[in-house]
Amino acid sequence: MQRREKLNFIESLYLGEVLKGVFFTFSKLVRNLSIYLLNSLGLAKNKKPWVTIEYPSAIREYFPRYRGRHRLVLNDHGEVRCTACFLCATACPSKCIYIEAQDGREGGCVGGTLGTTTAEKFPKRYEIDTLRCIYCGFCVNACPVDAIRMDTGIQPEIYPPKRSAYIETKEVLVKRSKELQKQTVAEVRQAHLKKMQRVEKFPFQND
């Protein structure tokens, strides 16, 4: 398709194009308003005047590669795989990951609680500031031991209007892995939806 470099006199006035645009917009307005009124009366239920999803009452099906909330993966001994190498924090473009390393010989961390560990080094603190995170997945790709994943299949959390609540700690990230050991991604997602529905009805009174 070749673009015409010159417009004729009628086209150069742009009046016809403006009228066409007004007619198109107004026709869509009348159509969608009519469908909405019919829906309100219990008619034309198979048609919707909008294309948005009424989350959390409804949700789209996600692809398996969907990048959801983070989790710290546990090994066969119940310990976090993370070796505090800082590669994820280095690769993060928004600098939202904070890690504080500790020598494994000083006392380890099993499943997010104090205990013993076989690792030479592990993260004493591992925090993600979800207000800064852009969910790009660079941290997942950078990790050499597959210690962090975004395969929880659920959206970012809705927290109270308090900045510190949006910082997800190591314990929170480990808890998600434990939940996926007991439940499937679909079951975790369904529980998340029910929680978000409660938050919608009773803001910031959820458990």
Side-chain angles (χ1 to χ4, degrees), residues 51 78 126 170-171:
V51 295
Y126 193 107
K170 174 183 175 181
E171 288 71 26

Side-chain angles (χ1 to χ4, degrees), residues 27-41:
S27 63
K28 291 293 183 180
L29 172 64
V30 173
R31 173 187 175 278
N32 293 337
L33 181 59
S34 301
I35 295 176
Y36 177 78
L37 293 176
L38 290 173
N39 287 169
S40 301
L41 297 174

